[in-house]
Amino acid sequence: MRYLFLLPLFFVFGSCTQKLTNQSQSLIHTYQAPKMGTIFKLSFYAKVRKEQADELAAKAFELVDTLNQAFSDYHPESELSQLNLTAGSGKFVKVSDPLWEVLNLSVEASKQTNGDFDITMGAYVKLWRRARRQGKLPSKKLMEQTRTATGYQHILFDEENQAVMLGAKGMKLDLGGIAKGYTADKLLNFFKENGIKSAMIDAGGDLRIGAAPPKKKGWEVEMEHGDAEKQKVWIKNKAIATSGDLYNYIEIDGVKYSHIVDPTTGLGLTRRITVTVIAKNGTTSDYLASAISVMGIEKGKDFLGKTKGIDVMITKKKEEKIAVFSSKFFQKRQPWLLKLR
């Protein structure tokens, strides 16, 4: 579902490995199911009977299905797919509340990142997927034709009627860089509305974490970087996401290309980079992990200097050397980062 695919390279959750017991009441309840092309895992603390916990989890997964029906670019009958079919028609299309909200958030994210995050990359993504399968770059002519179908500026909003127009012919929206983080936020809100404050949602690597578990300072997150020792951090009331291609790339004509598509070129990135973001919500951590992967270390550092409320670790590999930039949160908890500089 995305043009910047999240890779859960750093995260293992000790709290999520526990299994639901057969007792009439259990403090922690864990569930998982295939959703949105990945695995969604739910963990929450509640003194409820197993049947009650099962019902809550079932309703949570139903919510994911509802949002996927709005956001998926794979299902031809989804709301997003139907909207994509109207691109270039000159018509506004009324959309549901979730799609309206996520499209507005996406355009704001594009403005904030100066286009390094852009959901109009769907046509480029389709080309790049085919190039990776064939081991051959798209032709310059085809790339130029596709370029005219991209650009978040072509997404137009009719506020009064909650309607959207895709102004460029052939435009295809791809919400993969924001939809899972947004969905994780909605799931945490669902649990809060049902009286559950301590919950963790793992949306295929996009993590939304609520209040700390009982008698804990947070949810335990185990981070791993290459051959370095695993490090543990404790997270609460935050979201954490990772995007990157440090170990996932393809070589074409002697050049190593990432699976991550650069909006400025329409091709995979040629730098080897991985980005981890901790933010106040899953929507933000999701799209910023994607956008900063495109920015790279230097541009990313400039961006972060102007952005408050997030913590970031960026690793870039060149040949056998790894360069690291990290905010104070990671520096304090990961002393091995300093050795990699």
Side-chain angles (χ1 to χ4, degrees):
M1 282 184 59
R2 63 188 317 138
Y3 75 85
L4 292 167
F5 298 88
L6 285 182
L7 301 177
L9 298 176
F10 297 158
F11 306 105
V12 180
F13 293 87
S15 296
C16 302
T17 61
Q18 301 180 50
K19 296 181 179 180
L20 195 63
T21 71
N22 292 322
Q23 299 174 357
S24 60
Q25 288 191 337
S26 178
L27 187 60
I28 183 170
H29 306 271
T30 63
Y31 301 84
Q32 68 178 44
K35 301 290 179 183
M36 289 188 168
T38 186
I39 300 297
F40 269 65
K41 299 177 182 179
L42 311 176
S43 296
F44 57 93
Y45 284 82
K47 291 183 178 180
V48 297
R49 297 183 64 84
K50 180 180 181 300
E51 292 78 8
Q52 294 173 292
D54 290 347
E55 184 178 357
L56 278 172
K59 289 181 178 179
F61 286 132
E62 286 177 6
L63 174 58
V64 179
D65 290 337
T66 298
L67 294 176
N68 191 49
Q69 182 57 32
F71 301 152
S72 175
D73 66 327
Y74 281 101
H75 298 306
E77 299 304 317
S78 74
E79 188 177 6
L80 183 70
S81 294
Q82 293 300 305
L83 177 63
N84 282 338
L85 292 176
T86 69
S89 68
K91 298 180 180 179
F92 278 95
V93 178
K94 187 174 179 60
V95 298
S96 65
D97 290 346
L99 187 56
W100 174 260
E101 183 176 19
V102 83
L103 291 180
N104 275 273
L105 288 169
S106 296
V107 171
E108 287 303 312
S110 293
K111 293 176 181 178
Q112 181 189 12
T113 61
N114 197 30
D116 286 323
F117 174 81
D118 191 343
I119 62 171
T120 69
M121 293 292 294
Y124 270 146
V125 171
K126 185 177 181 180
L127 276 184
W128 188 238
R129 286 172 181 164
R130 185 171 66 182
R132 283 170 56 84
R133 290 195 302 269
Q134 297 176 346
K136 181 180 179 181
L137 295 179
S139 68
K140 291 184 178 180
K141 181 178 180 180
L142 191 55
M143 292 295 291
E144 286 300 320
Q145 291 175 346
T146 305
R147 186 179 302 278
T148 63
T150 65
Y152 67 90
Q153 300 87 348
H154 298 302
I155 303 177
L156 307 176
F157 297 100
D158 177 353
E159 300 281 346
E160 184 176 350
N161 297 300
Q162 193 170 302
V164 178
M165 179 194 296
L166 305 185
K169 185 178 180 180
M171 177 182 285
K172 292 184 182 299
L173 304 186
D174 186 330
L175 298 176
I178 196 170
K180 287 193 295 183
Y182 175 91
T183 300
D185 286 336
K186 292 299 182 182
L187 286 173
L188 186 61
N189 288 341
F190 165 80
F191 283 117
K192 288 180 178 179
E193 290 169 358
N194 283 276
I196 298 173
K197 297 180 180 180
S198 183
M200 192 283 296
I201 294 92
D202 178 354
D206 285 351
L207 310 167
R208 185 66 170 99
I209 299 171
K215 300 181 181 180
K216 298 286 186 180
K217 57 184 177 181
W219 287 81
E220 182 181 328
V221 179
E222 193 171 74
M223 299 183 62
E224 183 177 14
H225 181 98
D227 296 328
E229 292 183 5
K230 294 179 180 179
Q231 305 286 328
K232 294 180 180 179
V233 295
W234 300 87
I235 305 293
K236 63 180 179 179
N237 299 317
K238 295 278 188 177
I240 185 166
T242 297
S243 180
D245 69 330
L246 207 57
Y247 307 104
N248 189 1
Y249 59 88
I250 187 171
E251 187 169 325
I252 301 177
D253 298 331
V255 179
K256 293 179 179 178
Y257 291 94
S258 167
H259 65 289
I260 301 173
V261 177
D262 186 340
T264 61
T265 66
L267 301 175
L269 297 176
T270 55
R271 71 173 72 95
R272 310 275 297 285
I273 193 168
T274 296
V275 177
T276 297
V277 174
I278 298 177
K280 62 182 179 180
N281 58 60
T283 303
T284 301
S285 63
D286 195 359
Y287 78 73
L288 282 183
S290 300
I292 296 171
S293 294
V294 173
M295 294 178 192
I297 287 185
E298 294 306 318
K299 188 177 177 182
K301 286 168 64 176
D302 292 339
F303 172 80
L304 294 169
K306 305 172 185 175
T307 307
K308 297 181 180 180
I310 63 172
D311 286 287
V312 177
M313 181 170 70
I314 309 172
T315 59
K316 180 181 178 183
K317 186 173 183 179
K318 187 175 183 180
E319 296 177 350
E320 296 304 316
K321 295 182 179 180
I322 294 179
V324 176
F325 167 78
S326 59
S327 60
K328 292 182 179 180
F329 174 89
F330 290 107
Q331 291 175 14
K332 290 178 180 179
R333 293 161 176 80
Q334 315 298 323
W336 51 267
L337 288 175
L338 300 177
K339 298 178 183 179
L340 296 173
R341 291 179 178 277

